[in-house]
Amino acid sequence: MPSATKNVGIMLPRDLPVSEVLDFARSAEEAGFDEIWVVEDLGYRGGIAQAASVLAVTSHVTVGVGILPAAVRNVAFAAMEIATLAQLYPGRVVVGIGHGMPGWLTSVGSWPQKPLTFLREYVLALRALLSGAPGPDRGVYVNVEGVQLNEVPDVVPPIVLGVRGPKSLAAVGEIADGVVLAEPAAPEYIAHALEQIGDVETRVITYDLAVVADSTDAAQAIVRPALSVLAETDWRPHLLPLPYAQDLLQLAADLPVDVFTQTLPPEWVSELTLAGTVDEVRVGIQRRHDAGATTVVFIPVGENPSATMHALADALPDRL
């Protein structure tokens, strides 16, 4: 059961030139977005540093970190960083924690043998530390038994899990305040994820590739190349709840990636992205909210992310 909140956010592109990062954040707040989400992908920029910078140059927008891979951070020191953000910017922080991408974590020697066991222990310890309680009993992986923070926030930030497997989604309802669903987050996928989470009130943050143009065809021409990720096996959980999942997966298996993205039927692209005219994107936002999303996050696509962001702002529901 999702929360009643219905927000729209935008992602700070991971590869945005550094000279544009702070202006992008300021402009997104001024344009009326409810939330700005930063990402931590291996080889790009750190999530905590980005969040702190965005919070510092804005005044009221919520800043989400989606996501921090748990296995590369000692939970006590992660709690210190998160607590500091929450103390300095009370009520403006949401923190996503997840397994991380297996390939990335393996490449740095940090993929645990039992990822879900690790994540459960990590999140339970993190929540205890942020609340000012001593760290829980030693687990299989996490040991902060008796550790306690001297500085804790008055407003403890929500902890959401960036996960997609059924067992990990079930854990959301047990140990976290919500979930981050990576792109594509079509309505069927959102509903499926909520079924796995169970009947609890939870935040549901969804990511989707997004662009606004004067015509559907023009918007889809921009977004199609970015759909190449759908051919990768990691993205299957996003696709299997769709009524055309098997047809899509067969296309991905049969065609070169560049041909695959150009062959996807327009109606599939419309559902798998938030790309279209202003009215079409508004409909896509509403469908995701109706399916249970509490925050719909645009991932701006195009050569000029700042221009894309301003165009997407025209599709915000409060512009109606």
Side-chain angles (χ1 to χ4, degrees):
M1 181 173 61
S3 161
T5 307
K6 302 295 181 187
N7 290 332
V8 180
I10 193 150
M11 182 182 290
L12 179 67
R14 65 182 186 179
D15 56 354
L16 191 68
V18 68
S19 61
E20 300 177 23
V21 167
L22 300 183
D23 284 342
F24 184 98
R26 294 187 193 97
S27 296
E29 181 177 69
E30 292 168 1
F33 288 97
D34 302 300
E35 302 181 12
I36 300 172
W37 281 76
V38 301
V39 294
E40 181 169 273
D41 289 345
L42 182 62
Y44 291 87
R45 297 184 178 117
I48 295 293
Q50 289 182 90
S53 300
V54 171
L55 287 160
V57 299
T58 55
S59 62
H60 60 270
V61 70
T62 295
V63 177
V65 185
I67 62 167
L68 300 177
V72 296
R73 280 187 177 77
N74 178 281
V75 69
F77 287 88
M80 289 166 56
E81 297 279 10
I82 294 166
T84 302
L85 286 181
Q87 281 188 317
L88 293 171
Y89 305 99
R92 293 184 57 201
V93 182
V94 179
V95 178
I97 305 290
H99 302 299
M101 298 296 286
W104 293 347
L105 274 291
T106 299
S107 74
V108 296
S110 295
W111 184 249
Q113 187 175 6
K114 297 181 178 180
L116 184 53
T117 298
F118 182 96
L119 189 62
R120 281 181 176 276
E121 292 181 2
Y122 191 97
V123 172
L124 290 172
L126 177 63
R127 291 172 70 99
L129 292 170
L130 289 173
S131 72
D137 293 344
R138 179 173 188 159
V140 176
Y141 291 102
V142 176
N143 179 21
V144 287
E145 186 173 353
V147 173
Q148 198 163 4
L149 298 189
N150 295 320
E151 294 287 337
V152 294
D154 292 331
V155 181
V156 176
I159 303 298
V160 295
L161 302 189
V163 294
R164 48 187 159 206
K167 292 181 180 179
S168 296
L169 286 169
V172 170
E174 301 166 11
I175 64 172
D177 300 303
V179 66
V180 178
L181 299 178
E183 72 285 358
E188 292 90 344
Y189 176 54
I190 298 168
H192 175 77
L194 281 168
E195 288 177 6
Q196 307 302 308
I197 291 169
D199 190 21
V200 294
E201 184 169 322
T202 190
R203 292 172 180 250
V204 180
I205 299 100
T206 62
Y207 291 169
D208 270 302
L209 301 166
V211 60
V212 162
D214 292 336
S215 71
T216 307
D217 288 347
Q220 291 196 0
I222 296 169
V223 83
R224 280 180 181 274
L227 289 172
S228 61
V229 296
L230 301 186
E232 300 174 13
T233 56
D234 285 338
W235 267 258
R236 288 198 173 193
H238 301 251
L239 306 177
L240 291 177
L242 303 172
Y244 47 85
Q246 295 308 315
D247 292 335
L248 191 156
L249 292 171
Q250 193 62 55
L251 279 179
D254 292 344
L255 300 173
V257 171
D258 57 339
V259 178
F260 163 70
T261 59
Q262 297 304 315
T263 305
L264 292 169
E267 58 270 24
W268 295 2
V269 177
S270 292
E271 186 163 75
L272 292 166
T273 70
L274 289 168
T277 65
V278 165
D279 289 341
E280 288 168 341
V281 171
R282 284 177 178 160
V283 168
I285 294 169
Q286 188 60 54
R287 291 189 65 221
R288 283 154 176 77
H289 280 152
D290 290 345
T294 54
T295 298
V296 174
V297 179
F298 293 139
I299 303 175
V301 180
E303 294 182 0
N304 186 335
S306 295
T308 300
M309 179 265 290
H310 285 290
L312 287 166
D314 290 336
L316 291 172
D318 62 4
R319 299 291 179 89
L320 292 171

